Amino acid sequence: MDDFQIKVELSKLENQIQELENKQNGVKFNVAILQQSMDKLQQSLEKLLKTLATNLDLWYASTNTNTEKDEDEQTDKSKCH
């Protein structure tokens, strides 16, 4: 291999290295965007779970109150008979 061929091959390798570095930077950028999206998704899920828990607590509270009233009414009706 003469000097010219070596320089050509070296140039090809340098271009391949540059392409790989560009790809690597693109991947790093995509990973950063994905991480941000995952963080936002996690925050949204946490909000949703808190809202669901609150709604479930309210539903249980209203169900328990209605059940107690119904039981009292049934007891009162049975006393009448």
Side-chain angles (χ1 to χ4, degrees):
M1 214 184 245
D2 61 13
D3 284 347
F4 179 74
Q5 288 175 329
I6 291 173
K7 288 179 182 179
V8 169
E9 290 300 316
L10 182 59
S11 178
K12 286 180 185 178
L13 290 173
E14 288 172 344
N15 287 338
Q16 287 178 345
I17 289 171
Q18 186 62 48
E19 286 177 20
L20 289 172
E21 287 175 347
N22 290 342
K23 285 181 183 179
Q24 182 182 28
N25 288 334
V27 168
K28 286 179 181 179
F29 177 77
N30 289 339
V31 167
I33 294 297
L34 181 60
Q35 184 63 48
Q36 289 175 350
S37 298
M38 289 175 60
D39 290 344
K40 288 179 183 178
L41 178 60
Q42 182 177 358
Q43 291 170 358
S44 297
L45 287 172
E46 287 172 358
K47 273 185 172 178
L48 177 61
L49 288 174
K50 285 180 185 178
T51 302
L52 287 173
T54 300
N55 288 343
L56 188 60
D57 288 344
L58 293 173
W59 181 77
Y60 275 135
S62 69
T63 302
N64 288 339
T65 302
N66 291 340
T67 303
E68 290 172 8
K69 288 180 183 176
D70 291 343
E71 288 173 0
D72 290 343
E73 289 175 7
Q74 288 175 359
T75 303
D76 291 342
K77 288 180 185 175
S78 65
K79 289 179 183 177
C80 293
H81 295 307

